[in-house]
Amino acid sequence: MKFLRQSKLKALLLLAAAVLFIMFLTYILGGEKTCYLKGVIGIPCPGCGLTRAMICLLQGNFKESFFYHPLLAAVALVFILAIFQKVSGSKSPIFDLIYIAITVLFIIVYIIRLFVYFPHTSPMDFNERSVLMKGFHFLIQGIKLMQG
């Protein structure tokens, strides 16, 4: 059992190191500073806009908050449920069903937002300064130089 816990800890530490490396690389190469998926590959993640939605909500701009991310309330619900589940020690399958439903809802809303807003409307816009795009442009320049 102890070995399993140690190998899980090593795997988590390795994953954390990889994520930190990607974040550092993105920062150094000048990619998107707020969304690392968008900073690395150029497309927004399913959570893009949540921070701006929260800021707008706190400022009382409900319509803007909903525009930036319509599922902000679902994120709050997940946090509340997770805390309740931890405090109560409940292992009820209803929590799993709620988490699955919210995940499916996030995927559906993400796809809809991509079709409606991508690639020109923030926060669902395309990041031309992403690490992937910089690498692509660097590769193209290299090919052009080799061709003469």
Side-chain angles (χ1 to χ4, degrees), residues 73-99:
V75 174
L77 177 64
V78 167
F79 279 116
I80 291 167
L81 287 176
I83 291 168
F84 177 77
Q85 192 175 12
K86 190 72 167 173
V87 170
S88 70
S90 176
K91 302 283 186 195
S92 174
I94 192 73
F95 289 108
D96 293 335
L97 290 174
I98 292 170
Y99 295 141

Side-chain angles (χ1 to χ4, degrees), residues 42-102:
I43 62 169
C45 73
C48 273
L50 280 170
T51 303
R52 283 184 257 186
M54 176 61 87
I55 291 168
C56 289
L57 182 69
L58 293 174
Q59 293 172 343
N61 300 328
F62 301 109
K63 188 176 177 182
E64 249 184 281
S65 175
F66 189 79
F67 169 78
Y68 280 120
H69 208 295
L71 296 179
L72 180 61
V75 174
L77 177 64
V78 167
F79 279 116
I80 291 167
L81 287 176
I83 291 168
F84 177 77
Q85 192 175 12
K86 190 72 167 173
V87 170
S88 70
S90 176
K91 302 283 186 195
S92 174
I94 192 73
F95 289 108
D96 293 335
L97 290 174
I98 292 170
Y99 295 141
I100 290 169
I102 289 174

Side-chain angles (χ1 to χ4, degrees), residues 11-25:
L12 281 174
L13 288 174
L14 185 60
L15 178 63
V19 168
L20 286 173
F21 176 73
I22 290 170
M23 290 169 67
F24 176 73
L25 183 67

